């Protein structure tokens, strides 16, 4: 119970494990680049601003996909359930759609979010690169959880350990040359490896070899609609002069409207099948309104 429980928990500790590597490598790497100990610790603190946002985005992006996993496991336990791998594809698709929107929305709103939370724009470039980790970590958490449910517990542990080693080595190489931007690149690269590895392993278990089928027309339409709204709002609103309270209201309003536009366009242009709408929370209401 202890061993398998610990291994099973690793998939939900991916971001903490990556952050653990940062704790040992970022400050020494920054000092190697010429910063003093105090300056290096301050720069590490700026880099750590992105971690809570990634955690929130990853939870949002993976939670709806993870809700389908009991149906997947049921399909593998009871031979009468022939839709297990279709539900795996649905789980990954829902995670991809939602995590993409969360990652892109954070990227576009990040200068305002940074000022809202920390009252300055230090580390914008590194932290904006880091926001792509929302998409990668969401897909990784979903796919590795599915693998564990299918019985590939040891494989997921091996992949996570390799990603940790990769992150450690990339920090040793990149941070002395690129600062916290190098650490952001290392995080994204290690999560990209983990995403590719878990998806490939899932494809190997699938009888038809195909898992994630994205409907590109509704996906691109929803993405363009959300991005256009956020860019127009950013061009119109003088957020640089806003107080923190006004900035809080603005960020919440823009993110909320952007999410409604994105999800609304996905549903309007039938990015989800009828079965997928039925499986996600409140999907029955969406299905009725889409008829």
């Amino acid at each position: 119970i202890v061993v398998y429980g610990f291994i099973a928990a690793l998939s939900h500790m991916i971001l903490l494990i990556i952050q653990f590597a940062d704790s040992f490598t970022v400050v020494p790497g920054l000092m190697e680049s010429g910063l003093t100990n105090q300056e290096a610790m301050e720069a590490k603190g700026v880099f750590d601003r992105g971690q809570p946002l990634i955690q929130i985005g990853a939870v949002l992006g993976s939670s709806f996909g993870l809700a389908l996993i009991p149906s997947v496991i049921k399909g593998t336990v009871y031979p009468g359930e022939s839709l297990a791998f279709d539900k795996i594809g649905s789980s990954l698709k829902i995670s991809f759609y939602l995590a993409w929107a969360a990652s892109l929305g954070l990227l576009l709103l990040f200068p305002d979010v940074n000022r809202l939370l920390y009252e300055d724009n230090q580390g914008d470039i590194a932290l904006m690169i880091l926001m792509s980790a929302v998409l990668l970590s969401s897909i990784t958490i979903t796919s590795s959880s599915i693998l564990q449910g299918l019985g590939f517990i040891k494989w997921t542990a091996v992949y996570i350990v390799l990603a940790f080693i990769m992150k450690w080595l990339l920090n040793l190489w990149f941070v002395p040359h690129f600062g916290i931007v190098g650490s952001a690149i290392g995080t994204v690269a290690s999560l990209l490896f983990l995403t590719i590895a878990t998806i490939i392993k899932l494809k190997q278990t699938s009888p038809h070899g195909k898992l994630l089928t994205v409907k590109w027309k509704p996906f691109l339409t929803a993405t363009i609609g959300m991005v256009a709204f956020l860019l127009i709002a950013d061009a119109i609103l003088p957020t640089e002069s806003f107080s923190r309270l006004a900035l809080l209201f603005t960020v919440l309003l823009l993110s909320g409207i952007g999410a409604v536009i994105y999800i609304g366009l996905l549903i309007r242009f039938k990015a989800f099948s009828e079965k997928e709408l039925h499986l996600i929370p409140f999907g029955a209401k969406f299905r009725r309104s889409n008829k």
Side-chain angles (χ1 to χ4, degrees):
I1 292 175
V2 173
V3 172
Y4 278 89
F6 175 76
I7 295 175
L10 285 178
S11 65
H12 297 278
M13 297 167 58
I14 291 168
L15 294 173
L16 294 176
I17 293 170
I18 297 297
Q19 193 175 2
F20 184 67
D22 285 330
S23 300
F24 286 93
T25 56
V26 172
V27 171
L30 292 172
M31 292 177 66
E32 187 179 338
S33 70
L35 298 183
T36 65
N37 183 56
Q38 182 65 29
E39 291 171 338
M41 288 191 293
E42 289 175 358
K44 173 64 165 60
V46 170
F47 181 74
D48 285 342
R49 294 178 180 186
Q51 300 300 333
L53 296 174
I54 296 174
Q55 293 279 4
I56 294 172
V59 168
L60 174 65
S62 61
S63 57
F64 292 104
L66 290 174
L68 302 183
I69 291 181
S71 299
V72 173
I73 308 308
K74 182 182 178 182
T76 61
V77 172
Y78 299 102
E81 291 281 337
S82 60
L83 300 177
F85 285 96
D86 292 334
K87 290 178 180 178
I88 288 176
S90 297
S91 180
L92 291 173
K93 182 197 294 187
I94 292 171
S95 290
F96 173 76
Y97 283 151
L98 297 182
W100 168 261
S103 184
L104 189 58
L106 280 171
L107 176 65
L108 294 173
L109 291 173
F110 194 82
D112 291 335
V113 173
N114 205 5
R115 286 202 313 278
L116 169 64
L117 297 177
Y118 303 103
E119 301 187 52
D120 60 47
N121 285 106
Q122 292 187 64
D124 268 358
I125 296 176
L127 295 172
M128 289 170 74
I129 294 173
L130 200 59
M131 290 306 103
S132 58
V134 172
L135 173 62
L136 297 173
S137 59
S138 298
I139 296 176
T140 297
I141 291 170
T142 303
S143 57
S144 60
S145 297
I146 293 171
L147 280 175
Q148 289 174 3
L150 295 175
F152 298 98
I153 296 179
K154 294 180 180 179
W155 278 102
T156 57
V158 170
Y159 293 149
I160 292 170
V161 170
L162 290 176
F164 172 77
I165 295 172
M166 181 178 178
K167 165 64 175 172
W168 190 293
L169 294 176
L170 289 175
N171 272 9
L172 294 179
W173 293 333
F174 288 163
V175 173
H177 300 288
F178 304 108
I180 59 175
V181 172
S183 183
I185 294 172
T187 296
V188 172
S190 59
L191 287 174
L192 179 61
F193 158 76
L194 196 52
T195 301
I196 293 173
T198 53
I199 292 296
I200 289 175
K201 189 63 180 177
L202 270 179
K203 288 186 69 174
Q204 292 174 349
T205 66
S206 173
H208 44 72
K210 192 173 183 181
L211 290 173
L212 181 59
T213 304
V214 176
K215 294 186 178 180
W216 291 105
K217 182 178 178 180
F219 170 68
L220 292 175
T221 301
T223 299
I224 292 171
M226 181 185 72
V227 170
F229 165 74
L230 292 177
L231 291 178
I232 292 171
D234 182 65
I236 294 174
L237 296 173
T239 54
E240 294 81 3
S241 61
F242 283 6
S243 65
R244 266 185 113 181
L245 182 60
L247 201 57
L248 172 63
F249 176 77
T250 303
V251 168
L252 292 176
L253 182 65
L254 292 181
S255 58
I257 296 176
V260 169
I261 291 173
Y262 180 78
I263 298 296
L265 288 174
L266 283 180
I267 295 172
R268 173 66 180 81
F269 290 96
K270 303 184 185 301
F272 302 106
S273 68
E274 293 293 318
K275 292 180 179 179
E276 288 166 351
L277 282 177
H278 181 72
L279 288 170
I280 64 176
F282 307 107
K285 295 181 179 179
F286 291 139
R287 190 170 69 171
R288 286 196 298 268
S289 63
N290 203 31
K291 288 182 178 180

